[in-house]
Amino acid sequence: MGKHDNVMEPFKIKSVEPLPQNTRTERLKILKDAGYNLFLIPAKDVIIDLLTDSGTGAMSANQWAAMMHGDESYAGARSFEHFRDTIRTITGFNYVLPIHQGRAGERVVCHVICDKDHLVLSNTMFDTTRAHVESTGAVGIDMPVEFTKNAPFNGDLDIIKLKKYLKKNPNKVSLVILTVTNNMGGGQPVSMQNIKEVSEVCREHNVKVYMDACRFAENSWFIKTQELGYSEKSPMEIAKEMFSFFDGCIMSTKKDGICNSGGFIATNDQQMYTQFSHEVILNEGFVTYGGLTGRDMEAVAVGLMEALDENYLRHRIESIRAFGDMLKQNCVSVLEPVGGHAVYLDAAEICPHIKFKEFPGWALNCVLYLEGGIRACSLGNVMNGVFPDGTERLWTKELVRLAVPRRTYTMSHFKYVVDVIGRIAAHSHLVSPMKIVKAPNVLRHFTAILSPIEDHLFEVEKTGTKTGLIKERPSYGIK
Ligand code: F0G
């Protein structure tokens, strides 16, 4: 572990779940039955689940205790006050609307703010954000800064492009969304400097700027440790400053709320709040619960504060960096710097023999499952390679995201994953390209059916018999 010896988990474990067990032969059948789509595999068949960090974290004893105080009143519940006041403290936004998860907030905000044929600009929108923007007839455009290896703030939005678009399209830009950290772009942080500049430019042009705040606490830690002038500030102070540059925010509390569900919209704009409220009441629930139970709101209120704890954040960011370093030591290409909530494998580099339109990320992801029972998420052309009308577009990245659920797995789980991936990478020329058998045009990765183009997804010759890799590695106590 070398320089990362200082990343001991800052918690002990009170409640545990057994890891599922299965064999390579069983997994091959499961994979085929699921149409080579890991979203369609039952979780009971996954040994290490790195599909997402969303809603998969472990809650603390204090969160569970708070849930017992849940006030389930329909209107004006005490739990809503706890929820609202915590969010007010962190964000400085006075008006707070609970929602059942992030995409519900996207729907509300897009319906109120976006117009047909208008533009929504972003460092990079998450897939559901883009789908909601496009469902209003608006066009979503990403403009991240060019990714530079080991640059501290690859999540920044390209200010020059932003200015150009705003100048060229007067009164045509409905909204600017900064995704903090930038999930689709490798979990990369956004600097305070960039947040400030984006905000200034938007105010000059009278365009609203909202934060997609899913991972605001992780972003605060990157600002604290990597941006000049912030090392002495607490994550809470930094978060408050970040929010102060926005007109509002949407947050899925399944991420930095360390909860299994939930979210909120917050703003200081009373007019917007009123319009959002109508949508929330119609689609989510009354304004003091928005689809959440009182106990959910209690858990979120406690979780948001825990996510800003320095010991928690130091371990969170450092342990994921250590995970990335271990992969690099095993000659696996990862996106560098490593992100805040995930390590992203560069599937295009690991499988250079597979064309982008034959989905190297998807193929590699299937092999991770086959060989190690590991489920990750492919961010590439299956997800982003098509417009809603069915025309193809080329997404220029093929990544496999190993998202790390909060407080759930330990270093020995990471070591297992590193070992499996290291062995796959050493034989990656044998990974088969993939083709789509059946898929919708919107959010197609969730339900697409694919198949390998070659006879086998991944077979390794070993002393004359084709065995796969699983037998070559130490067992880790797994079949
Ligand atoms: N914005 C970002 C940046 C996200 O990462 C997500 C979800 C959402 C919005 C939507 O929130 O799931 O609560 O509706 N990301 C998950 C992921 C699903 O795996 O990255 P939601």
Side-chain angles (χ1 to χ4, degrees), residues 52 101-103 106 126 179 183 212 214-215 252 255 401:
T52 180
Q101 65 179 94
R103 66 199 68 184
E106 291 160 4
F126 184 63
T179 310
N183 183 14
D212 176 339
C214 290
R215 299 176 181 88
S252 163
K255 285 82 169 172
R401 185 189 69 174

Side-chain angles (χ1 to χ4, degrees), residues 31-40 356-363 366 378 381-383 432-440 444-453 457:
L31 199 52
K32 282 184 179 163
D33 289 349
Y36 292 89
N37 184 336
L38 298 186
F39 281 101
L40 305 180
F356 273 42
K357 286 291 168 190
E358 292 173 351
F359 315 118
W362 198 273
C366 287
S378 157
N381 284 283
V382 175
M383 183 185 271
S432 168
M434 306 289 289
K435 62 173 188 251
I436 289 184
V437 177
K438 203 172 91 186
R444 69 177 174 180
H445 51 292
F446 288 123
T447 52
I449 303 295
L450 286 93
S451 79
I453 289 177
L457 172 63

